[in-house]
Amino acid sequence: LVVFKAEIGAVTPLACQVQGVWVPPELRGRGHASAGMAAVVAHALRAVAPVVSLYVNDFNVPARAAYRRVGFSEVGTFMSVLF
């Protein structure tokens, strides 16, 4: 049973990006995202790069709250334009 999933991608010597964060819908709201992200960030800072970043959709309020709980803060916004 998978309770949390994330990957570390876009790695450079200066920074890396967490992507593909996911908790099964039936397990959301139980703290798995915060605990999982804390573990991923700790590993990334120790073994991958000195800065960890991520993108999150502005409407994903629960995810944004989980990321804030582990120390992330919003530093910018952007918009994708699809043709």
Side-chain angles (χ1 to χ4, degrees), residues 3-69:
V3 298
F4 174 83
K5 175 205 82 75
E7 297 97 34
I8 299 172
V11 175
T12 75
L14 301 177
C16 65
Q17 180 180 318
V18 177
Q19 56 196 33
V21 179
W22 181 77
V23 172
E26 67 274 13
L27 298 178
R28 293 176 185 167
R30 300 181 187 185
H32 297 303
S34 295
M37 283 300 293
V40 169
V41 169
H43 170 74
L45 291 173
R46 184 177 60 254
V48 180
V51 174
V52 180
S53 69
L54 59 81
Y55 294 111
V56 61
N57 292 317
D58 63 347
F59 57 81
N60 195 341
V61 175
R64 293 173 70 190
Y67 303 149
R68 278 193 302 276
R69 282 193 289 276

